[in-house]
Amino acid sequence: MADERKREDAPGREDAPKRAAEPRRERPAGGMGRRAFYLRMVASSIIRRRSRMLVALLAVAIGATVLSGLVTIYYDIPRQMGQEFRSYGANFILVPSGGGGSLSAAEAERAREYFPAGSVVGIAPYRYQTAKINEQPFMVAGTDLAEARKTSPYWFVSGDWPESAGQALIGQEVADTIRLLPGSVFTLTGAAPDGKSFSRDFHVSGVMQTGGTEEAFIFVSLGDFDGLMGEGAFDVVECSVLAAEAELSAAAGRIAADMPGVAPRLVRRVTQSEGTVLAKLQSLVYLVTVVVLLLTMICVATTMMAVVAERRKEIGLKKTLGAANSGIVSEFLGEGVFLGGLGGLLGGGLGFVFAQMVSSRVFYRSIALRPALILVTLIVSVLVTGLACLLPIRGATEVDPAIVLRGE
Amino acid sequence: MSLLELRGVSKTYGNVRALWDIDLTVEEGQWIAIMGPSGSGKTTMMNIVGCMDRPSQGEVRLGGVNISQESGKNLTAIRRDKIGLIFQQFHLINYLTALENVMVAQYYHSLPDEKEALLALERVGLKERAKHLPSQLSGGEQQRVCIARALINYPMLILADEPTGNLDEANEKVVLGILRQLHQEGSAIIVVTHDPEVAEEAQRTVVLEHGRIARIIENDKWNKWNSVENSAANNEENGKGGAADA
């Protein structure tokens, strides 16, 4: 029978090495490690197919950029908007508590310690007393004018803020009543709380408009005020603090507990509206961020699907060569993780630039770099790309290796 | 013990019978050619022998082990360890160099070994082209890389599907020369081909028609060309449905 034919029948076979009859060889230990070759394959796929991979990398990087930028803005909104809200005046005040409480300069200074470091924009103490100009009564306020300028940046001053003793900032209503202009001199007369009379000339350094009750006041430095009225406790201390309502409430609780003579209060109309606007703005950015994340996932998944689909034959070939499904998945996943990492790193950096541009154009302020956000962007990017790879690959591993033989 | 035994192998796809009661035995070191018109069942037979498909009926034994009903995972392992595949369209991975394409087969088998892969390329005359990408190689060179890849894990059986189908005459001679050398070294080879010149190189040619073995031709070059007519009509008379013992 034909099937009885042995290979020895072949001409020249007697001297030929019996290759197929050799025992199966194990690879020498000096061979390249599997991991090293795996990395070589992944790197080759990315580097030598760079035009294809560039499309996928762009999809990942653009998604990561928008994501990183929006999250940076999301976390920076309270700081940005908080500074914006500080333009509308103090959001926290200290007053003497009822029943004989008093508010000293030391207590006003101590209050600074109860707020988060670096969050205090300004703390302006005020003393009020009535005095007369040309026998007309006016309210005189003594304050730390440099701090008042910080806590009340919305005051519109025609002329200059007082810079030396003997200068006063008067409200528009006062100026209209007694016809004073910047540079005018007026004489302030009256009696101090201890009954001692005073009379002193002041130069009008500037006229101030606020649209509020402050326009009926005359503001002088604390030194000048104490010189006229004698030293005494503050009537109110206005604080402008970059902090959320909850933080201010917590600080108020601690101050009330530590300083029994002092009653801390939040300026509700400011803190509440600030909180409401911030919450709405953050919700909006959060929503946009989630939508962008979903769109990024879809975009990356679609790109990766296209990448995997065009390599269907390669997958079939690898299966024909004996690759297990898990091996093929790990190869594509390796490429996805590399793309996700590189795209995430690029996106993290570009996202900061994007956030910086938005911040400087919308809030006119620079934004702080948060290295943790770049790390988070990197991780999210790797996860999203990995996930986006997994879905199409799982389907692709079902490829029948016979398609390679059929040439399909 | 024969290297490969097909006993009563049939394969049906729905109502279509692609292979019908095939009996074939291939001994170690034999070179078999399979010929036949399109739709005769050559590819189906290659898929079954190459562990890429299972028969609907019958038994396939490779190295004495019945692989007819093995799971897909086990068939992958058998294909990886025991079979070397050569394709008409070469099927090299386009982003890997010639050397890396050979090493891929090592990687899925056991451990990649660059020196051994380089020796395999040297054997097919491509040592100098080892660092070239497939796009930088001619068709003949790509086919030689494909052969080096098929050999690298010392397979029991080399399956070649139209190995010269996409090559010019010069490259066809080179590739046939390599296959001849492999055969002389003891490799068992099954070649599917349309080309009578390629089939002449084999010890026997199995001709398939309508899913059955129509005849087996003993190559004269090896054994003074015996032709064993084994028509379907005779087989039906014997109640064997076209099967033939090769």
Side-chain angles (χ1 to χ4, degrees), chain A residues 205-274:
Chain A
S205 67
V207 176
M208 169 260 282
Q209 290 175 302
T210 67
T213 54
E214 297 91 344
E215 289 188 7
F217 287 32
I218 298 165
F219 292 89
V220 297
S221 71
L222 268 178
D224 286 343
F225 191 93
D226 289 348
L228 297 175
M229 311 292 179
E231 289 187 3
F234 296 134
D235 294 302
V236 65
V237 175
E238 290 187 1
C239 309
S240 181
V241 186
L242 282 171
E245 190 176 1
E247 286 176 296
L248 293 176
S249 295
R254 290 197 300 275
I255 291 171
D258 294 351
M259 295 187 266
V262 177
R265 286 174 196 165
L266 274 67
V267 182
R268 295 284 175 193
R269 69 185 158 83
V270 175
T271 54
Q272 278 181 348
S273 60
E274 185 176 331

Side-chain angles (χ1 to χ4, degrees), chain A residues 308-325 328 331-332 393 395-406 408, chain B residues 52 76 79 85 87 91 93 104 108 149:
Chain A
V308 173
E310 71 181 14
R311 294 169 72 184
R312 206 164 156 264
K313 192 175 274 187
E314 179 191 326
I315 293 169
L317 172 70
K318 286 179 171 175
K319 289 185 78 170
T320 307
L321 293 176
N325 284 350
I328 291 169
E331 282 166 33
F332 276 84
I393 291 169
T397 52
E398 301 305 318
V399 167
D400 179 2
I403 66 163
V404 177
L405 269 185
R406 288 200 292 268
E408 286 171 10
Chain B
M52 284 174 278
T76 298
R79 188 168 60 243
L85 290 158
F87 310 104
H91 293 308
I93 298 172
V104 164
Y108 291 128
R149 183 178 63 190

Side-chain angles (χ1 to χ4, degrees), chain A residues 53-392:
Chain A
M53 286 298 175
L54 205 60
V55 176
L57 181 66
L58 266 179
V60 177
I62 289 170
T65 299
V66 178
L67 184 68
S68 159
L70 284 175
V71 174
T72 304
I73 291 168
Y74 174 81
Y75 280 108
D76 218 55
I77 278 176
R79 193 176 70 87
Q80 300 283 9
M81 290 302 291
Q83 285 186 343
E84 207 63 42
F85 274 109
R86 292 305 95 245
S87 307
Y88 299 104
N91 54 350
F92 191 91
I93 58 168
L94 301 171
V95 292
S97 61
S102 70
L103 186 53
S104 67
E107 283 169 323
E109 194 52 39
R110 215 177 127 201
R112 194 179 285 271
E113 299 165 10
Y114 289 84
F115 302 113
S119 65
V120 175
V121 176
I123 292 181
Y126 288 90
R127 289 185 67 195
Y128 298 104
Q129 192 62 256
T130 309
K132 290 179 180 173
I133 302 172
N134 298 334
E135 295 304 318
Q136 285 191 57
F138 292 100
M139 185 62 78
V140 179
T143 184
D144 180 334
L145 288 160
E147 289 293 307
R149 197 171 179 173
K150 292 179 194 169
T151 57
S152 306
Y154 61 94
W155 289 1
F156 178 76
V157 175
S158 302
D160 298 312
W161 280 74
E163 288 176 351
S164 57
Q167 290 188 332
L169 184 67
I170 62 171
Q172 186 66 51
E173 199 177 317
V174 178
D176 291 344
T177 306
I178 51 177
R179 299 182 185 282
L180 290 175
L181 292 168
S184 305
V185 177
F186 64 91
T187 305
L188 206 59
T189 58
D194 59 3
K196 193 178 168 183
S197 298
F198 62 80
S199 174
R200 185 177 171 186
D201 289 346
F202 282 90
H203 283 267
V204 177
S205 67
V207 176
M208 169 260 282
Q209 290 175 302
T210 67
T213 54
E214 297 91 344
E215 289 188 7
F217 287 32
I218 298 165
F219 292 89
V220 297
S221 71
L222 268 178
D224 286 343
F225 191 93
D226 289 348
L228 297 175
M229 311 292 179
E231 289 187 3
F234 296 134
D235 294 302
V236 65
V237 175
E238 290 187 1
C239 309
S240 181
V241 186
L242 282 171
E245 190 176 1
E247 286 176 296
L248 293 176
S249 295
R254 290 197 300 275
I255 291 171
D258 294 351
M259 295 187 266
V262 177
R265 286 174 196 165
L266 274 67
V267 182
R268 295 284 175 193
R269 69 185 158 83
V270 175
T271 54
Q272 278 181 348
S273 60
E274 185 176 331
T276 307
V277 171
L278 276 182
K280 284 183 178 174
L281 204 56
Q282 276 196 301
S283 298
L284 182 69
V285 176
Y286 178 77
L287 201 67
V288 172
T289 306
V290 169
V291 170
V292 166
L293 184 63
L294 283 174
L295 289 176
T296 303
M297 278 186 78
I298 291 168
C299 179
V300 172
T302 311
T303 310
M304 292 314 292
M305 272 180 194
V307 167
V308 173
E310 71 181 14
R311 294 169 72 184
R312 206 164 156 264
K313 192 175 274 187
E314 179 191 326
I315 293 169
L317 172 70
K318 286 179 171 175
K319 289 185 78 170
T320 307
L321 293 176
N325 284 350
S326 58
I328 291 169
V329 168
S330 78
E331 282 166 33
F332 276 84
L333 210 53
E335 289 179 23
V337 165
F338 182 87
L339 281 179
L342 189 61
L345 208 60
L346 277 173
L350 291 173
F352 173 69
V353 175
F354 167 68
Q356 190 73 272
M357 283 171 64
V358 171
S359 182
S360 62
R361 289 186 185 187
V362 176
F363 300 109
Y364 303 103
R365 290 188 180 92
S366 67
I367 219 162
L369 177 69
R370 292 168 184 260
L373 267 187
I374 292 184
L375 187 68
V376 168
T377 307
L378 189 75
I379 293 168
V380 169
S381 182
V382 166
L383 287 176
V384 167
T385 317
L387 200 65
C389 276
L390 266 184
L391 298 173

